[in-house]
Amino acid sequence: MFLILGGGFGLYGYLPALVHGCDETVLLPKRYRERLSQREDIRSLQQDVLWVDDEQQAFDRATAVVISKRPQDQVYWVEQCLQRKSLVDLILEKPLAPSPEQAISLMDRLEQAGKNFRISYLFRLTDWGRALRHQLTQPNECKELIIDWQFQAHHYTHGLNNWKRFTSQGGGALRLYGIHLIALLAELGYNTAIQSSLTGASADEAQSWHATLSGQGLPTCRLCVQSNSSVSRFAVRLFTSELLTLVDLKEPFANALSSPDQAHFDNRFALLTQVCQSLKEDRASYYPWYRRTLDLWTRIEQQTVHKERPNDATGQPISSL
């Protein structure tokens, strides 16, 4: 029986995945009821929820928890889960914590407590993520991998001054968005940061992240994440004897939905379903990868330099770097 903590993506992302994708029973605090009823895409799921008075009552009944909150709040709620032996399974969001140091500490605590947990790194589950893994395991002379991700984040579009803007709170182009790529690249074998730079209005507000990464037997990876761009684009290219474009979409999950009956849900529905279902798999295939992800994140941050510039919502293509 799953408890969902988080009234945003927890509801419109994880709730459909658990109810329709995994046929799980879900507990929700009553204070989420109005918010759920206001969303046309998930309103029908009200009848599938077991409503309880508050988180305390939900904790008393749950055996599994989804935490979909700010990184600093996730740290707090994980600590609450660690104190309850009845809570066996956890689904956690990324970044695991506001900083790599805090994330490593939290993972230590989770493993020491014997919890079965998964972190929602979704890029590996996309069609293009699988295609990239396949390409990098083929015998070829690939010299360079280029990843170009440009978009305007919701907080910039709507002028919101929330945690997602600020590096110190686990936000920004590197910690909030770049962690998607770090996890995928760590799984593929990338483990070294050659260079990394953040650009934004201040040292704590990272609008863009540029980096060059390497790994044994792998092509050099150059990547760009622009979170306040006038352009919407996600492209992955490989340079061999010719240019190979693996994907060129408006955003990374643009083609993630696999059937028409999922169309009214968030387009990450099928991927989140796979993450939840993976709790039944052997944790030994996940934890070493999570460690490599945190190690690569740490090394990237150690190499990162900051460049200040005013907010300008421009999209500089990676080819011009």
Side-chain angles (χ1 to χ4, degrees):
M1 190 175 298
F2 273 86
L3 161 64
I4 295 177
L5 295 171
F9 190 57
L11 294 184
Y12 69 82
Y14 285 102
L15 181 58
L18 287 170
V19 172
H20 282 296
C22 302
D23 197 28
E24 292 283 354
T25 301
V26 175
L27 292 161
L28 285 178
K30 288 180 179 177
R31 63 189 180 86
Y32 290 164
R33 190 193 293 268
E34 182 178 359
R35 189 173 300 181
L36 178 55
S37 68
Q38 292 173 346
R39 290 196 61 111
E40 185 177 350
D41 55 338
I42 55 174
R43 187 182 300 151
S44 62
L45 300 180
Q46 292 180 83
Q47 61 189 10
D48 298 301
V49 172
L50 291 179
W51 296 98
V52 293
D53 290 337
D54 52 30
E55 283 85 356
Q56 182 65 41
Q57 191 177 106
F59 269 125
D60 291 339
R61 299 181 62 180
T63 57
V65 176
V66 169
I67 302 177
S68 183
K69 287 181 168 287
R70 299 179 303 174
Q72 64 194 62
D73 295 333
Q74 178 158 266
V75 173
Y76 169 80
W77 285 110
V78 167
E79 292 294 342
Q80 302 306 303
C81 293
L82 292 177
Q83 297 173 27
R84 293 175 176 265
K85 292 184 179 180
S86 59
L87 291 176
V88 179
D89 299 324
L90 289 81
I91 300 289
L92 306 173
E93 268 297 327
K94 71 278 157 216
L96 190 58
S99 70
E101 295 80 13
Q102 289 171 285
I104 290 170
S105 176
L106 194 61
M107 183 159 178
D108 289 342
R109 299 265 288 126
L110 283 160
E111 288 199 85
Q112 290 164 7
K115 297 297 185 184
N116 183 36
F117 66 96
R118 299 292 180 269
I119 306 172
S120 285
Y121 298 132
L122 302 181
F123 279 9
R124 69 189 297 266
L125 302 173
T126 62
D127 290 343
W128 63 262
R130 298 178 192 276
L132 177 59
R133 185 184 299 110
H134 175 74
Q135 284 292 330
L136 293 184
T137 57
Q138 299 305 300
N140 56 49
E141 296 183 2
C142 183
K143 299 179 177 61
E144 196 168 47
L145 167 64
I146 302 291
I147 303 175
D148 188 12
W149 186 12
Q150 301 183 43
F151 60 100
Q152 187 167 70
H154 182 266
H155 51 278
Y156 288 123
T157 303
H158 298 276
L160 303 177
N161 197 37
N162 59 24
W163 70 271
K164 294 183 178 182
R165 297 176 80 111
F166 303 112
T167 300
S168 61
Q169 297 181 45
L174 170 53
R175 293 186 174 181
L176 177 58
Y177 302 108
I179 195 67
H180 286 277
L181 294 171
I182 293 171
L184 176 62
L185 294 168
E187 184 179 18
L188 295 174
Y190 287 88
N191 56 17
T192 301
I194 298 172
Q195 69 84 26
S196 173
S197 64
L198 292 173
T199 305
S202 68
D204 195 35
E205 184 176 348
Q207 293 177 264
S208 63
W209 173 46
H210 299 86
T212 305
L213 309 178
S214 66
Q216 186 174 2
L218 293 167
T220 299
C221 175
R222 290 202 302 140
L223 60 88
C224 165
V225 178
Q226 296 268 8
S227 67
N228 189 17
S229 174
S230 57
V231 176
S232 293
R233 184 179 196 183
F234 183 81
V236 179
R237 296 183 174 87
L238 287 166
F239 284 93
T240 54
S241 55
E242 58 183 10
L243 174 63
L244 173 64
T245 299
L246 286 182
V247 65
D248 194 346
L249 302 168
K250 283 196 171 183
E251 53 95 4
F253 304 113
N255 59 358
L257 283 176
S258 56
S259 63
D261 63 339
Q262 302 169 3
H264 60 294
F265 293 139
D266 185 272
N267 60 357
R268 289 161 286 185
F269 168 84
L271 308 182
L272 291 168
T273 297
Q274 291 180 62
V275 171
C276 297
Q277 291 173 338
S278 73
L279 285 167
K280 298 176 183 178
E281 300 172 8
D282 186 357
R283 67 185 71 181
S285 63
Y286 289 90
Y287 293 3
W289 163 42
Y290 294 164
R291 288 286 180 184
R292 295 195 302 274
T293 297
L294 296 180
D295 288 345
L296 180 56
W297 182 14
T298 300
R299 291 169 184 162
I300 288 169
E301 297 248 359
Q302 290 170 345
Q303 290 290 329
T304 298
V305 296
H306 297 265
K307 304 175 183 178
E308 291 189 20
R309 78 175 181 201
N311 295 312
D312 58 12
T314 59
Q316 181 186 10
I318 194 168
S319 59
S320 68
L321 299 179

